[in-house]
Amino acid sequence: MQLYIGTSGFQYDFWRGTFYSEKCKPADMLAEYGKQLASVEVNNTFYRMPKRTVIEHWGAQVPDGFRFALASGLKWPAWLEANMLGIFLAILSVWLTRSLKLSPGYL
């Protein structure tokens, strides 16, 4: 079994000087992150799927074999599209809200 180690997010200013260099720009954080870890959870995808160009840009910044774990609000077609773009998912993180009643149909 292959394990991918990563964190929840990658663009944190307070990581400068520890995980990133002091001068690391936000636009360079994913590329720098990808040099050190093999996966990352993308939390903003819970609220909406980014444009295709954004997904392609993410994929271009990380090395081959890097994996994204996308948070989902049960928007499955969006994740299938991301996979079709070649941005392979390590994990699909599904966040359930309190207002959602559990039903076998969701599983």
Side-chain angles (χ1 to χ4, degrees):
M1 175 167 64
Q2 178 83 29
L3 295 178
Y4 295 89
I5 305 298
T7 63
S8 178
F10 62 88
Q11 197 168 18
Y12 300 110
D13 288 336
F14 64 91
W15 284 10
R16 285 194 189 115
T18 54
F19 190 78
Y20 300 122
S21 71
E22 285 286 344
K23 296 181 180 183
C24 186
K25 298 175 186 173
D28 298 330
M29 287 182 174
L30 180 56
E32 290 300 312
Y33 179 99
K35 292 176 183 175
Q36 300 181 61
L37 295 171
S39 68
V40 68
E41 181 182 21
V42 181
N43 294 322
N44 67 337
T45 56
F46 176 78
Y47 303 102
R48 64 179 162 74
M49 189 64 180
K51 293 180 181 180
R52 182 183 192 105
T53 56
V54 171
I55 295 170
E56 290 171 339
H57 183 67
W58 289 344
Q61 293 181 70
V62 294
D64 290 343
F66 189 90
R67 298 292 186 257
F68 292 90
L70 304 181
S72 173
L74 300 177
K75 300 170 187 169
W76 303 113
W79 309 139
L80 293 175
E81 179 181 351
N83 255 346
M84 286 186 259
L85 287 171
I87 309 300
F88 298 105
L89 309 179
I91 300 167
L92 182 60
S93 177
V94 179
W95 299 0
L96 302 176
T97 64
R98 290 181 184 171
S99 63
L100 182 66
K101 298 196 186 304
L102 183 60
S103 165
Y106 286 117
L107 303 177

